[in-house]
Amino acid sequence: MDSTAVAPPSGVGARQMRLEDPGLLTGRDRFTSDLDIPGALHAVFVRSTVAHARVESINTTESATASGVVAVLTHEDLAAPRVFFPTFGKLIDDAYHRVPLASDVVRFVGDIVAVVVAETVLQAQDAADLVEVEYDPMEIVVDPDAAVAPDAPLLFPGAGTNVAVDLPFEAGARDLDAPIRVHQRIAHPRMAVSPMEPLAIAAVPGDGEKLTLWCSTQMPHVSRGLMAMWLQMDPADLRVACPAVGGGFGGKTPAEPDYVLVAAIARHLRRPVRWTQSRSENLLTMQARGHLFDVTLEATQDGKVTSIQSEGLTDVGGYPGLGIGMAMTARGLMTGVYDIPHASHVVRCVATNTSPTVPFRGAGRPEALHALERTMDRLAAELGLDPVELRRRNFIGADQFPYTNAMGTEYDSADFEKALDEALRLADYAGVRTEQATRRSDDDDVEIGVGVSTYIEVSAGSPGMTGEYCSVEVSEDGFATVVAGTSAHGQGHWTVYAQILSDRMGIPVEKVRFVQSDTEAVPHGMGTSGSRSLQLGGTAVRKAADEVVEQAKQVVAHLFEASPEDIEIVPGRGLAVRGVPGHGLDWGEVARTVADEGRRPPQAASRLFADPAFEQGGGTSPFGCHIAVVEVDTQTGMTTLRRMVAVDDCGVVVNPLLAEGQVHGGIAAGIGQVLFEHSTFDDEGNPTTTSFADYGMPSAADLISYDTAHTVTPTTRNPLGAKGLGEAGTTGSIAAVHNAVMDALVRRGIDHIDLPLTPMRVWQALQDRELDA
Amino acid sequence: MTDTTETVVVRLNVNGEDHETTIEPRELLVDVLRERLGLTGTNVGCETTSCGACTVLVDERSVKSCTMLAIQAQGREVRTIEGLAAGDDLHPVQEAFRRCHGLQCGFCTPGMVMASVSLIDEGRATDEKAVRSALKGNLCRCTGYHNIVAAVLSAADEIEVSR
């Protein structure tokens, strides 16, 4: 097949193959550690091997004189900046903020105590082994329940408590006479974000105060702002740019403590310094989730939920930071898809001597939906109701939107019945229940389980991040260039933005160039996170495209002495007077015309360019229903996935091929959390899952193919009618798989098993139940 | 390297070209390919030979280049992702990945593609289960593997037909 064949213009709704692919498939596109940075030194971090200790001494003498070493830096050599996130700054005590280069105390295994900088990576690694650190061990606390206890060892004596955040919330009227009450404590354990490309940065000082940071991040502009603040630099002197980025999933938002340390070192030495994170560093320091939810549902005898009362306990690790945001976001979605009139929740975040947590796909929303959906199944069991029926009785009706839940979160549009019915149909729910009944009556050791999860979430919902910048320009060669403030790292924005532009302008997708992820080339941006990019960036592209079309119409009208209302787009070519095809120009000619003062309309700009930007003013709410069918071998505890059905509604789908890919990836992450993945520490705070040999990162052999479908409930929040989809797969799948396994074990008298549902944990639960019985 | 560091001259044949370079004996094949030969298409994703991002072909067989010393590749034919396409014409496996949307961020992709080329060549792409099993050593966080498996099966069909 000729890979250079030009396809016909394919806009919104088309399964357009990606423009990004040739560069990635051939290895031509460069990731940060592929960049050629002449004269760059290499940094290797010396990290604490104890979870909580005073640093008595750091001996760098032998290390500093090792072959190729330029510097070995400790807090005595470098005033590393304090890392604090302004959004949390008012929320948590100053004492909790981290200095990435530890001085008197280390608070987790992995806390950085020294940095070796050498000519080559091998030399830096060799020299790092020679750094001698003396630790005076302090009392360690790893378990979050222990960390909140009054006699817990304190990580931050200055703050007086390990509880960095403790916020109650309540709204609505609670029915005190509700006869049914179900309580469940649900763990949502720590796991590793684990993008295939770990963190990587090259910090290159320029003239004067200028500094360029080539790095793997999801948010170049936001990173620039934070880094400039932490380094006390003028943002105008700081450039943050990304080449290809190998996945993020929330682990590369927004600015990394490790990056600010490398940047500070480059400035200190006045030489380019680069650092590539190892996988073991990545599995240790890029961890997420880590919540315990106590959930109580109260309901009528008919199964109408009258109240949800929950308390969260979130382990945010040695330095409370981004993990707090996840706990806050979870609160907002605790009522999920249900019309519950009363809700209370406590957001409680506690420091422990483990890795500080970061966001992972869904960033608080999967956690909330998991806790809710799991407890709904417990309520169904209590009432003797089919879990599907219980859900139907509680859905927010399709006519109740826009809807604000008891937590104050607004949902713009949804139709839960429609998604549920489609999922039930695809899963052949009735057929699975029949097969299940047969196996049960046969007393089969291998049980079938089916689990349902109905979810809603919020995309593009982060306060202050509900708008985006994009510009469109057409140049004299007839190509359009999109400059975007979002920052794709696998999502295919070049392709979908080109499709949107192509729809509006008639320029083929192959003639669309794309610029992103460079604060020097892109004036403004908020990057890519929270499933924001398509709806915000895509609408910004559409608005810019429409403005450029108006400009072009003026030009063509002027040239042919027609009215702009009589000019139309000729797809694949340019614009012409309606009904007079000969009176037209192709796009390149239009661009050449505006560049010519003698030929362009008076008062027209000299180039075809627009950047109106788009402010949505809020988020949108994707939703759906996932159904998992599993087999659980009660002899071994082993769970095998039989089917994973996902019906997701993100409104109008711009590219179904890419949309499916986003759902697949989201589902895999959800399944991973349920069956395989867990970041663990022993009682001394030593990490025990810091390589892929220990951490259950799923491979193709562990997973199955997925049955995905969409319902389409458009949003009126943007002209595309589109919502986000990048995280929905994860938000929907976790409870579906968890509920399926528990459903398989219903006859064994086990109410609940916490994640991950590894064979060992399921088998042990079965053994324990046998003993109790 | 200082004067006291032991070095050795290795001759490597990569993508049909001969290269001669001076290295420390402990240098891994993946690092020599990337750092000394500038072939940065092959990626490093872990330190425990688990992820497969570093997969290349050595004498037409898939090898994790992070688990091979460069010295061990001397006298053998190494093929990296850069040597797969013929100019602008993508290899059928690369084409299939594009057609089936079998890549997102692209970091695992060179290794995934080389592993796929090898498993198809060895006749192991018989059905979905066999492909999933054969790709056990190539991790991906973006795609959930669904489209990767479809791409491999599609490419295997195409290559079979054109044989």
Side-chain angles (χ1 to χ4, degrees):
Chain A
M1 191 194 278
D2 178 4
S3 59
T4 60
V6 174
S10 45
V12 172
R15 297 178 72 88
Q16 171 66 44
M17 291 197 304
R18 295 196 330 167
L19 303 167
E20 291 87 342
D21 286 354
L24 293 168
L25 280 166
T26 55
R28 260 195 331 259
D29 280 3
R30 296 198 168 223
F31 297 88
T32 301
S33 46
D34 300 340
L35 296 176
D36 188 25
I37 311 275
L41 300 171
H42 295 263
V44 166
F45 296 139
V46 177
R47 295 182 181 271
S48 169
T49 51
V50 294
H52 198 194
R54 267 173 288 275
V55 180
E56 297 275 275
S57 67
I58 308 174
N59 188 344
T60 63
T61 319
E62 216 191 327
S63 176
T65 55
S67 173
V69 171
V70 167
V72 181
L73 303 162
T74 71
H75 70 276
E76 287 176 356
D77 309 295
L78 184 74
R82 186 172 287 276
V83 166
F84 64 96
F85 298 96
T87 37
F88 304 133
K90 301 166 212 105
L91 194 57
I92 64 174
D93 195 306
D94 268 355
Y96 293 114
H97 297 134
R98 181 181 176 194
V99 175
L101 190 54
S103 51
D104 48 337
V105 176
V106 291
R107 295 181 173 86
F108 70 102
V109 169
D111 215 345
I112 299 169
V113 295
V115 188
V116 175
V117 184
E119 304 281 349
T120 73
V121 167
L122 285 177
Q123 288 169 332
Q125 286 169 348
D126 288 345
D129 288 341
L130 300 172
V131 175
E132 289 168 358
V133 188
E134 292 243 340
Y135 296 103
D136 181 20
M138 297 164 72
E139 239 192 303
I140 291 164
V141 60
V142 172
D143 177 62
D145 282 320
V148 301
D151 58 345
L154 293 181
L155 274 77
F156 301 91
T161 172
N162 292 324
V163 181
V165 173
D166 197 337
L167 289 175
F169 179 93
E170 184 170 5
R174 182 175 164 222
D175 175 2
L176 298 168
D177 296 322
I180 307 294
R181 196 160 196 274
V182 164
H183 167 264
Q184 184 64 57
R185 190 173 218 220
I186 297 160
H188 197 106
R190 272 180 176 255
M191 42 84 65
V193 177
S194 191
M196 289 318 295
E197 184 208 17
L199 296 179
I201 182 171
V204 186
D207 294 329
E209 285 297 299
K210 293 212 177 295
L211 184 66
T212 296
L213 303 178
W214 296 97
C215 60
S216 186
T217 178
Q218 298 174 231
M219 296 176 150
H221 293 82
V222 176
S223 292
R224 195 252 308 255
L226 286 170
M227 301 280 271
M229 182 173 64
W230 296 336
L231 294 166
Q232 294 179 322
M233 287 179 69
D234 181 351
D237 285 332
L238 185 59
R239 176 185 179 197
V240 177
C242 327
V245 173
F249 313 104
K252 295 177 180 174
T253 62
E256 304 294 331
D258 299 336
Y259 286 172
V260 74
L261 191 50
V262 173
I265 290 169
R267 295 184 83 207
H268 176 80
L269 295 176
R270 299 212 62 82
R271 292 194 55 183
V273 177
R274 66 194 309 175
W275 170 71
T276 299
Q277 187 183 52
S278 70
R279 180 56 64 185
S280 52
E281 285 180 307
N282 178 263
L283 291 174
L284 172 62
T285 65
M286 197 187 273
Q287 293 188 4
R289 312 300 203 213
H291 314 268
L292 287 159
F293 290 107
D294 271 281
V295 183
T296 299
L297 290 174
E298 291 176 345
T300 67
Q301 288 289 359
D302 292 335
K304 190 77 184 68
V305 177
T306 54
S307 167
I308 177 170
Q309 298 137 49
S310 50
E311 286 193 20
L313 179 58
T314 301
D315 166 14
V316 290
Y319 296 92
L322 294 175
I324 294 170
M326 312 311 109
M328 302 283 279
T329 301
R331 176 188 73 71
L333 278 168
M334 288 305 295
T335 58
V337 301
Y338 310 116
D339 192 14
I340 304 176
H342 172 260
S344 72
H345 186 75
V346 179
V347 173
R348 191 173 286 124
C349 301
V350 66
T352 65
N353 293 120
T354 63
S355 311
T357 52
V358 299
F360 178 64
R361 204 156 193 164
R365 289 125 39 215
E367 295 99 302
L369 269 300
H370 169 235
L372 170 66
E373 288 295 285
R374 189 64 210 108
T375 313
M376 283 295 279
D377 265 30
R378 297 281 293 110
L379 177 62
E382 179 71 21
L383 291 165
L385 271 178
D386 184 288
V388 170
E389 182 54 34
L390 174 65
R391 285 167 169 81
R392 282 196 205 279
R393 293 184 189 183
N394 286 282
F395 282 157
I396 302 162
D399 57 350
Q400 288 179 264
F401 294 92
Y403 174 94
T404 302
N405 73 14
M407 294 295 185
T409 304
E410 195 184 280
Y411 305 150
D412 69 307
S413 66
D415 187 338
F416 303 120
E417 290 273 12
K418 189 164 71 173
L420 171 67
D421 287 338
E422 181 60 7
L424 291 169
R425 186 186 71 80
L426 286 169
D428 183 20
Y429 186 76
V432 175
R433 286 291 187 204
T434 303
E435 192 185 348
Q436 182 183 56
T438 304
R439 287 228 192 156
R440 282 175 178 171
S441 65
D442 287 347
D443 246 332
D444 202 322
D445 278 336
V446 179
E447 299 265 22
I448 283 183
V450 55
V452 177
S453 159
T454 45
Y455 77 92
I456 190 164
E457 71 142 1
V458 179
S459 61
S462 299
M465 294 180 66
T466 54
E468 193 47 84
Y469 174 93
C470 280
S471 71
V472 169
E473 178 162 10
V474 180
S475 41
E476 295 182 28
D477 58 2
F479 276 65
T481 300
V482 172
V483 176
T486 48
S487 199
H489 41 283
Q491 294 87 344
H493 296 168
W494 181 2
T495 304
V496 294
Y497 292 169
Q499 287 177 258
I500 291 166
L501 182 154
S502 181
D503 243 20
R504 308 304 286 177
M505 300 179 76
I507 295 176
V509 294
E510 293 80 15
K511 292 184 107 179
V512 179
R513 297 192 182 102
F514 187 58
V515 175
Q516 63 162 17
S517 314
D518 184 345
T519 58
E520 195 164 88
V522 182
H524 313 282
M526 293 277 185
T528 290
S529 66
S531 307
R532 66 190 301 276
S533 300
L534 181 85
Q535 60 194 288
L536 301 182
T539 300
V541 170
R542 191 184 134 122
K543 286 181 64 176
D546 285 352
E547 275 194 26
V548 172
V549 167
E550 282 314 303
Q551 293 169 12
K553 285 182 174 177
Q554 297 286 335
V555 172
V556 177
H558 176 73
L559 220 58
F560 293 102
E561 293 173 343
S563 163
E565 291 83 56
D566 293 330
I567 308 300
E568 63 179 11
I569 291 177
V570 180
R573 293 284 316 282
L575 304 98
V577 178
R578 191 172 298 112
V580 193
H583 285 196
L585 297 179
D586 65 35
W587 275 103
E589 289 171 329
V590 180
R592 285 192 288 282
T593 304
V594 291
D596 182 344
E597 195 179 354
R599 296 173 72 215
R600 67 170 174 258
Q603 268 101 52
S606 61
R607 56 179 183 145
L608 293 171
F609 173 89
D611 63 347
F614 172 59
E615 175 55 58
Q616 186 161 262
T620 54
S621 40
F623 66 93
C625 176
H626 289 195
I627 297 181
V629 180
V630 301
E631 284 183 333
V632 181
D633 185 332
T634 56
Q635 295 282 299
T636 62
M638 176 86 176
T639 296
T640 307
L641 275 165
R642 274 237 324 229
R643 288 194 72 200
M644 189 70 216
V645 171
V647 175
D648 301 289
D649 193 317
C650 61
V652 170
V653 179
V654 172
N655 184 327
L657 180 65
L658 269 54
E660 284 160 17
Q662 288 303 306
V663 173
H664 296 164
I667 288 172
I671 294 169
Q673 278 196 253
V674 178
L675 297 179
F676 307 112
E677 302 187 48
H678 193 184
S679 293
T680 53
F681 296 82
D682 67 17
D683 290 337
E684 301 286 294
N686 294 307
T688 49
T689 51
T690 53
S691 83
F692 285 141
D694 303 297
Y695 183 79
M697 179 81 167
S699 73
D702 300 309
L703 295 168
I704 59 173
S705 291
Y706 320 111
D707 297 309
T708 63
H710 292 287
T711 55
V712 179
T713 309
T715 179
T716 53
R717 281 268 161 101
N718 61 70
L720 291 171
K723 308 182 181 184
L725 186 63
E727 295 158 291
T730 303
T731 306
S733 58
I734 298 172
V737 182
H738 197 169
N739 284 341
V741 175
M742 298 319 304
D743 182 62
L745 299 175
V746 127
R747 284 196 313 143
R748 315 289 163 151
I750 295 172
D751 285 338
H752 181 78
I753 305 173
D754 269 329
L755 304 183
L757 303 176
T758 58
M760 184 71 219
R761 291 173 59 83
V762 172
W763 182 86
Q764 192 62 62
L766 286 163
Q767 299 313 300
D768 293 346
R769 186 74 186 98
E770 279 267 324
L771 292 172
D772 290 345
Chain B
M1 297 178 290
T2 65
D3 338 310
T4 59
T5 311
E6 184 194 337
T7 62
V8 63
V9 174
V10 286
R11 282 172 202 82
L12 295 173
N13 180 275
V14 184
N15 300 329
E17 263 184 52
D18 287 321
H19 300 267
E20 189 177 288
T21 180
T22 305
I23 64 170
E24 291 180 50
R26 61 170 166 164
E27 285 183 41
L28 303 171
L29 177 58
V30 67
D31 292 328
V32 171
L33 289 171
R34 288 175 49 80
E35 311 296 333
R36 298 199 183 275
L37 302 187
L39 295 167
T40 56
T42 307
N43 294 318
V44 174
C46 76
E47 300 96 56
T48 50
T49 204
S50 310
C51 81
C54 65
T55 307
V56 299
L57 302 180
V58 177
D59 292 339
E60 296 307 308
R61 300 198 67 193
S62 61
V63 162
K64 292 187 173 178
S65 62
C66 73
T67 316
M68 189 174 200
L69 297 171
I71 282 176
Q72 292 176 283
Q74 192 154 229
R76 309 182 50 196
E77 285 178 7
V78 178
R79 201 138 78 109
T80 70
I81 190 73
E82 290 92 340
L84 201 58
D88 275 338
D89 290 331
L90 298 179
H91 185 282
V93 170
Q94 289 167 311
E95 268 301 335
F97 268 69
R98 184 171 189 210
R99 196 163 59 240
C100 299
H101 185 39
L103 65 150
Q104 291 183 25
C105 83
F107 193 81
C108 79
T109 304
M112 192 72 73
V113 166
M114 298 314 276
S116 300
V117 167
S118 173
L119 81 94
I120 290 171
D121 198 44
E122 292 178 0
R124 287 186 289 147
T126 48
D127 58 23
E128 178 177 345
K129 192 156 177 226
V131 170
R132 285 183 177 279
S133 181
L135 287 178
K136 195 171 177 165
N138 289 81
L139 300 177
C140 171
R141 194 46 142 178
C142 291
T143 67
Y145 305 104
H146 181 123
N147 285 344
I148 290 176
V149 173
V152 174
L153 289 168
S154 174
D157 277 345
E158 233 192 87
I159 289 169
E160 186 62 42
V161 160
S162 65
R163 273 223 171 102

